[in-house]
Amino acid sequence: MTNLAPTIKLSNGREMPIFGLGTWKSFESDAYHSTRHALDVGYRHIDTAFVYENEAEVGQAIAEKIQEGVVSRGDVFLTTKLGGIHHDPTLVERACRLSLSNLGLDYVDLYLMHMPVGQKFHNDSNVHGTLELTDVDYLDTWREMEKLVDLGLARSIGLSNFNAAQTERVLANCRIRPVVNQVECHPGFQQRQLREHAKKHGLVICAYCPLARPQPARQWPPFLYDNHAQKLAQKYGRTTAQICLRYLVQLGVVPLPKSSNKARIEENFRVFDFELEPEDFQSMEQYHTGQRTVPFSGMSGHKYYPFNDEF
């Protein structure tokens, strides 16, 4: 029997596994092999995006695992995201259908607006857009995303990289509530205020870069390499990465660690059979520096750039 992650109930009543596989910077065959292996290990939550350019490979891996009888479609919680180039309201449905076609699926479990900032559309293959930013109001984009739920193309919809004020603006003007805000979150950037805000408004925080994009040569970040981290790992008989991911789970955040290494994909997932004691849990707070690893600085002059606000 494969051990699965527990699930959390979203504000619309749907269930989401509290741990997922991230696929940002998992290119083509990496994304395919990672997704296949993750499903074999017990992951049931897979996170991709139009701009990752790996939806087809992720979808192929899921299709094969369904065919092999490892999972059914209903077992897999699949998230993808609307790219900045598709914020224009006339492009939203087409963009979602394009992602579904890439994935080979009839619906996604969760469709996120990747950023509140839109980019100029030239064509679909200009995936990352350019830094030609547009003034499309994310509320107009959101209203089109709501229609995707009506059409059955997305079971749930949500936000990514939105600050608290932007989230409140969506909540005040929406017909269908966002269930999630996916943001950078790890012991070095703990998002305390945004987490509290999300909880108050019934949103789940999903964490990308939950290990802060480690740089072993630099022994960075400290929460994976310093003495305290090593001592905790030793105490629990775990790796420092497992301690970090367990910490996020206990914070009530849904971590989405990315790896294309088979052993690490398995290791990351083994965080449900132990718990950090209160003093060890508390000790992780010391690692918070408030420093992002993904600041999207090219967008910093835009009126909808989310990171000028404190949270």
Side-chain angles (χ1 to χ4, degrees):
M1 172 69 184
T2 308
N3 288 324
L4 304 179
T7 61
I8 188 170
K9 197 181 277 280
L10 301 172
S11 62
N12 61 2
R14 295 190 178 275
E15 301 275 338
M16 177 175 76
I18 65 167
F19 199 95
L21 178 76
T23 62
W24 180 43
K25 292 190 180 294
S26 275
F27 300 112
E28 284 114 12
S29 67
D30 271 2
Y32 166 75
H33 291 296
S34 300
T35 304
R36 277 183 61 89
H37 188 58
L39 292 170
D40 283 339
V41 168
Y43 287 73
R44 293 296 179 262
H45 179 169
I46 310 289
D47 180 87
T48 182
F50 178 74
V51 302
Y52 298 173
E53 296 182 271
N54 59 18
E55 288 174 320
E57 290 74 23
V58 167
Q60 185 191 347
I62 293 170
E64 288 176 8
K65 287 296 161 189
I66 290 172
Q67 212 173 354
E68 291 169 24
V70 175
V71 291
S72 67
R73 173 63 188 96
D75 295 332
V76 180
F77 189 97
L78 192 280
T79 300
T80 194
K81 308 178 192 76
L82 178 79
I85 62 167
H86 293 131
H87 273 219
D88 185 301
T90 62
L91 298 174
V92 173
E93 183 186 329
R94 198 172 65 79
C96 182
R97 290 186 185 276
L98 178 58
S99 283
L100 288 171
S101 165
N102 290 340
L103 288 158
L105 297 174
D106 299 329
Y107 68 90
V108 289
D109 297 274
L110 180 60
Y111 197 54
L112 304 180
M113 195 185 313
H114 210 147
M115 269 299 265
V117 180
Q119 294 158 274
K120 193 171 168 62
F121 176 79
H122 292 286
N123 56 62
D124 292 320
S125 57
N126 182 32
V127 170
H128 298 282
T130 57
L131 282 174
E132 297 171 272
L133 307 178
T134 66
D135 280 341
V136 176
D137 188 333
Y138 55 82
L139 282 186
D140 294 331
T141 310
W142 183 258
R143 289 185 184 109
E144 294 304 313
M145 287 177 62
E146 291 176 324
K147 294 176 187 173
L148 304 176
V149 179
D150 302 334
L151 291 166
L153 303 178
R155 294 272 167 97
S156 303
I157 50 177
L159 310 170
S160 181
N161 296 304
F162 273 60
N163 64 33
Q166 291 169 332
T167 303
E168 281 189 34
R169 188 166 171 250
V170 173
L171 289 168
N173 292 282
C174 67
R175 179 170 61 85
I176 297 176
R177 291 171 67 86
V179 294
V180 152
N181 189 9
Q182 187 183 125
V183 295
E184 178 176 349
C185 184
H186 47 77
F189 192 72
Q190 299 196 6
Q191 296 276 24
R192 196 170 298 119
Q193 290 158 295
L194 192 65
R195 281 190 286 110
E196 281 166 16
H197 182 270
K199 192 174 181 181
K200 182 176 145 194
H201 292 283
L203 278 81
V204 173
I205 292 287
C206 292
Y208 67 75
C209 298
L211 301 174
R213 304 169 76 191
Q215 298 172 38
R218 273 182 62 207
Q219 296 280 285
W220 190 91
F223 58 80
L224 292 180
Y225 296 103
D226 75 5
N227 280 340
H228 181 66
Q230 303 289 350
K231 276 183 191 153
L232 283 182
Q234 212 170 0
K235 175 177 173 178
Y236 290 91
R238 300 287 165 156
T239 65
T240 55
Q242 287 172 319
I243 297 294
C244 165
L245 294 167
R246 179 67 213 179
Y247 175 64
L248 294 175
V249 166
Q250 284 181 229
L251 279 181
V253 164
V254 175
L256 305 168
K258 175 258 167 188
S259 182
S260 44
N261 176 300
K262 272 188 162 187
R264 213 158 292 133
I265 288 170
E266 289 180 44
E267 174 196 301
N268 287 345
F269 195 65
R270 290 204 301 270
V271 294
F272 302 110
D273 57 349
F274 77 105
E275 198 166 316
L276 297 177
E277 292 168 12
E279 64 274 17
D280 296 330
F281 176 77
Q282 222 119 38
S283 75
M284 295 294 285
E285 287 184 6
Q286 69 183 335
Y287 290 116
H288 178 73
T289 63
Q291 188 189 349
R292 293 178 188 276
T293 65
V294 191
F296 293 99
S297 42
M299 298 179 170
S300 60
H302 194 276
K303 65 177 176 180
Y304 294 141
Y305 178 69
F307 305 147
N308 288 328
D309 287 22
E310 192 190 344
F311 68 98

